[in-house]
Amino acid sequence: MKLGQMLVKAGVITREQLESALNAQRDQGGRLGLNLVRMNLINEEDLNSYLSRQIRIEAINIEKMKIEADVLQLVPAKLAIRYEVIPVERVGKTLVVAMADPHNLFTIDDLRFSLGMEIEPHICASSMIQRALDRIYRQDDAIVAVSDEKLRKNGHTTVEEVMKGPEDELLVGDEAFFSLIEEEEGEEELDEDLAVSTSDSPVVKLVNRVVADAVKRGASDIHFEPFEKYVRIRYRIDGVLHEIMRPSRKYRLAMVSRLKILGGMNIAEHHLPQDGRTKIRVGDRFVDMRVSTLPTLFGEKVELRLLDRSQVSLDLDTLGFEPEALKAFRKAIKRPYGIALVTGPSGSGKTTTLYSAISELNDVGVNIMTAENPVEFNLKGINQVQMNEDVGLNFAMALRAYLRQDPDIIMVGEIRDKETSEIAIRAALTGHLVLSTVHTNDAPSTINRLVDMGTEPYMLSTSLICVCSQRLIRKICKNCKTPVSISREALEDAGVDPDRFSSTTFYEGTGCPQCNNTGYKGRIGIYEVMTVDEEMRALIENDANSIELEKTALARGMINLREAALRKLESGLTTFQEVVRETVANF
């Protein structure tokens, strides 16, 4: 009995519905079962069951199966697409396959001859087969998925899942889900459409979709890391790296070339580090993207830094300062002259803090100039200069030039050498407010770092007004936040007074789709602000070490990083593990 007659006889569809499906089959092509599913007249599992009864071959639901990557590689993409076949399992020299037409003896014979294996066919709905072909072969010709089950358990994804992505967010036909832009939002865009101006290759689509997926998840960085047999792709989300997928190494060169094109870099240079940047649009979100390459043992590693301007708030009140620390920092940056420094490791939000301070000081009556490498935000009303070491434009040269430009406030991206430090001090001593960053672990050790650069202590003591050290800690996901208990011993081992938290409820995130099953969603800053007053100046001039400086600062009311983190813990914003991970106890 034919499938349509069987379904009508069983009362699953009416004769009129069958006629409609047959008309759709004549107009659109495809099998009858596929058109019945498209018209929502039958679901795929029921269709599988009736197909199995019709041809008396066991049905298989490939969407409920975990198919190993090495099994998928047994059937080349061209064969799989031509014959509508999905390899499911290998049993010795027999390959179990899902087919839309298991009675096609020509297909089975061709597969047997081409693969050198016996073929055991199973029936599967054509719609399932088509989705699997799109997911595994059409979008990703021989790109190997991660077989490690831990990735899935941790809520991460595979190549197939990224490539499958929602059509309204990713690549559909010739429509680019993101595109390069040259100007700001609302101004003239676009000199390249990524889907139209480049080839239709799977690598181009994969790179495009990886970037879009990273922006969607709120990643700050993407790492493309070459190894002997694969390329590892990792996202940094809320400060922690997560492995996402492992494309085959055979596509490494094509992926690197694509990323270099996006960054406007030299694709022929493979032996020297390169830097590039561009702006992209992901849907209605505008993202600044910095590209950096580094030659490694197995090829070039590529790092993308993503800055989603729509997700950044340049407001000191929302960054996470404790009230006392914010008051001290605001008082310092509103001084008419002196140096205010922001310290912390890379990726700790120093630039955001400086930009927030400048935004608060920005006024038509104030001349603000910045020297940055790179310029991360375009701030209206502020003169921003991009450093260019290739032509000799560095921080020291920019500072000298600024002093002839009648500035009121100068921001220097980073003080990293004696020359820059001395010019910044001279600017502060001649009536300018200087804001800058230094890479140190905490506020007191910044003094010793500057002295170690060669800065004279007496010059530093007279010009420095404030040092703000910061970190970013992860916030608990509000959707899966749940109370937990922490033992007294664990608190004591971490250098925390258990009595202080005797009545505090601790929380953790259990993991949910909204937080990628990490238990954390977003980050907030913790800050220690060390004000340089007369007593601190005397210690600096006497070449005091960081321990003496810290003791004095704490005695004069400074909130250190550990205390700031513990206050976030008390308020239920973060976890005990995050406090221990990001801060050091004061034993």
Side-chain angles (χ1 to χ4, degrees):
M1 187 181 296
K2 292 184 177 180
L3 176 64
Q5 294 172 338
M6 182 184 294
L7 293 174
V8 171
K9 184 176 181 180
V12 177
I13 61 174
T14 64
R15 192 164 296 278
E16 291 75 16
Q17 289 173 330
L18 174 60
E19 289 297 327
S20 298
L22 290 170
N23 290 333
Q25 184 183 16
R26 283 190 290 270
D27 295 338
Q28 303 174 18
R31 300 177 183 276
L32 175 62
L34 178 61
N35 285 282
L36 289 168
V37 171
R38 284 174 179 167
M39 298 170 68
N40 294 320
L41 299 177
I42 187 173
N43 64 47
E44 290 173 324
E45 290 195 11
D46 289 342
L47 176 60
N48 265 356
S49 176
Y50 280 100
L51 287 171
S52 178
R53 289 186 217 171
Q54 181 195 17
I55 63 175
R56 297 181 182 178
I57 291 180
E58 184 181 347
I60 193 168
N61 186 338
I62 58 176
E63 296 194 339
K64 291 186 176 181
M65 301 184 65
K66 177 183 178 294
I67 306 175
E68 298 296 334
D70 55 350
V71 174
L72 293 172
Q73 291 178 336
L74 292 174
V75 180
K78 290 182 179 178
L79 280 180
I81 293 170
R82 182 192 306 162
Y83 296 134
E84 294 186 339
V85 171
I86 300 295
V88 172
E89 182 183 11
R90 180 176 184 171
V91 183
K93 293 185 177 181
T94 300
L95 181 64
V96 179
V97 299
M99 300 177 62
D101 184 8
H103 276 167
N104 190 330
L105 298 180
F106 172 78
T107 295
I108 294 173
D109 286 341
D110 197 6
L111 287 172
R112 183 184 295 117
F113 176 78
S114 300
L115 305 178
M117 302 179 70
E118 291 299 317
I119 304 299
E120 181 183 322
H122 289 249
I123 186 72
C124 183
S126 180
S127 54
M128 286 187 183
I129 295 283
Q130 291 301 322
R131 278 203 302 277
L133 289 172
D134 287 339
R135 184 172 72 247
I136 299 168
Y137 293 107
R138 288 198 179 98
Q139 299 279 23
D140 185 12
D141 184 9
I143 292 177
V144 181
V146 179
S147 59
D148 190 352
E149 189 65 24
K150 290 182 180 178
L151 295 184
R152 295 178 180 86
K153 287 181 180 178
N154 290 337
H156 307 318
T157 189
T158 63
V159 170
E160 290 93 335
E161 291 166 332
V162 170
M163 295 299 289
K164 182 172 71 172
E167 290 187 349
D168 59 337
E169 294 179 5
L170 300 181
L171 195 67
V172 184
D174 286 334
E175 254 179 61
F177 63 95
F178 77 75
S179 46
L180 297 176
I181 63 174
E182 288 188 330
E183 306 297 335
E184 293 291 13
E185 184 176 3
E187 298 185 14
E188 183 181 358
E189 334 177 320
L190 208 65
D191 70 347
E192 181 184 2
D193 184 323
L194 296 183
V196 176
S197 65
T198 59
S199 71
D200 236 358
S201 75
V203 172
V204 170
K205 292 181 180 179
L206 175 63
V207 169
N208 289 357
R209 294 181 184 219
V210 164
V211 175
D213 183 56
V215 173
K216 178 184 174 184
R217 294 184 186 214
S220 61
D221 300 84
I222 311 173
H223 294 260
F224 294 81
E225 302 166 305
F227 292 98
E228 187 174 3
K229 295 183 179 179
Y230 58 87
V231 177
R232 182 172 67 180
I233 299 178
R234 295 192 289 174
Y235 295 167
R236 187 178 294 279
I237 301 174
D238 292 334
V240 178
L241 283 169
H242 302 277
E243 184 172 343
I244 303 299
M245 64 184 77
R246 294 179 183 176
S248 168
R249 177 176 166 77
K250 67 187 290 185
Y251 284 95
R252 177 186 62 80
L253 284 174
M255 290 167 58
V256 171
S257 295
R258 176 60 182 159
L259 293 166
K260 285 182 176 179
I261 289 171
L262 290 179
M265 299 151 73
N266 181 2
I267 64 173
E269 176 56 66
H270 302 290
H271 304 292
L272 294 173
Q274 293 189 68
D275 293 296
R277 64 180 305 158
T278 186
K279 296 178 183 178
I280 59 174
R281 177 166 51 84
V282 182
D284 59 350
R285 295 159 71 175
F286 290 79
V287 179
D288 292 308
M289 185 169 78
R290 285 160 46 192
V291 187
S292 173
T293 67
L294 180 70
T296 68
L297 182 61
F298 295 108
E300 288 177 280
K301 177 185 183 296
V302 184
E303 197 272 346
L304 305 184
R305 170 66 59 89
L306 304 175
L307 182 61
D308 186 351
R309 288 176 282 174
S310 64
Q311 302 299 310
V312 177
S313 173
L314 301 181
D315 183 354
L316 288 174
D317 291 312
T318 63
L319 297 183
F321 278 95
E322 297 302 319
E324 306 97 308
L326 180 57
K327 182 179 179 181
F329 187 68
R330 273 204 167 108
K331 182 179 179 181
I333 64 173
K334 290 183 178 178
R335 291 272 297 269
Y337 55 85
I339 298 179
L341 297 175
V342 178
T343 76
S346 298
S348 60
K350 299 187 298 295
T351 302
T352 301
T353 301
L354 282 182
Y355 278 152
S356 299
I358 286 177
S359 298
E360 189 163 302
L361 299 171
N362 192 11
D363 184 83
V364 69
V366 179
N367 181 17
I368 302 177
M369 308 192 73
T370 74
E372 305 173 59
N373 189 24
V375 175
E376 296 194 18
F377 288 94
N378 182 9
L379 301 174
K380 293 183 179 179
I382 293 174
N383 303 286
Q384 296 174 268
V385 178
Q386 169 76 48
M387 299 299 96
N388 187 347
E389 295 283 352
D390 293 338
V391 298
L393 180 57
N394 53 29
F395 291 124
M397 177 178 284
L399 270 173
R400 288 193 193 94
Y402 288 179
L403 295 178
R404 297 189 292 271
Q405 291 285 325
D406 186 33
D408 296 299
I409 300 172
I410 299 173
M411 189 193 98
V412 184
E414 181 184 354
I415 294 178
R416 59 179 68 166
D417 53 45
K418 179 181 178 181
E419 185 180 18
T420 307
S421 172
E422 288 182 348
I423 298 171
I425 288 174
R426 290 194 190 100
L429 293 175
T430 54
H432 306 91
L433 177 65
V434 179
L435 307 176
S436 189
T437 69
V438 181
H439 282 229
T440 56
N441 291 324
D442 54 31
S445 61
T446 304
I447 309 298
N448 298 126
R449 172 77 179 112
L450 291 170
V451 172
D452 185 57
M453 284 183 192
T455 308
E456 293 293 341
Y458 74 91
M459 294 182 66
L460 190 58
S461 66
T462 54
S463 59
L464 192 63
I465 55 176
C466 165
V467 181
C468 171
S469 181
Q470 67 179 84
R471 296 288 190 283
L472 291 175
I473 59 173
R474 293 182 290 175
K475 295 192 294 184
I476 303 171
C477 174
K478 294 180 181 179
N479 188 57
C480 59
K481 185 176 181 178
T482 185
V484 295
S485 60
I486 297 175
S487 67
R488 185 180 183 90
E489 291 75 15
L491 291 170
E492 289 175 346
D493 289 343
V496 177
D497 181 9
D499 295 332
R500 172 179 174 178
F501 293 93
S502 58
S503 59
T504 300
T505 303
F506 297 102
Y507 295 93
E508 287 182 6
T510 57
C512 67
Q514 289 189 22
C515 61
N516 294 315
N517 290 313
T518 63
Y520 296 96
K521 184 71 173 177
R523 289 188 291 175
I524 191 170
I526 53 172
Y527 299 85
E528 66 177 20
V529 178
M530 185 179 78
T531 302
V532 180
D533 55 17
E534 292 303 322
E535 186 174 352
M536 294 294 290
R537 287 193 178 93
L539 288 173
I540 295 171
E541 287 182 11
N542 292 325
D543 203 15
N545 60 38
S546 59
I547 297 175
E548 295 175 297
L549 291 169
E550 183 177 17
K551 287 181 178 179
T552 302
L554 289 173
R556 299 184 71 80
M558 181 184 80
I559 299 171
N560 61 16
L561 291 172
R562 170 55 70 95
E563 175 61 25
L566 290 175
R567 293 190 184 187
K568 297 290 189 295
L569 179 65
E570 284 179 313
S571 61
L573 285 173
T574 192
T575 64
F576 174 70
Q577 290 79 7
E578 193 69 3
V579 171
V580 174
R581 187 176 75 91
E582 287 292 342
T583 62
V584 177
N586 296 308
F587 291 101

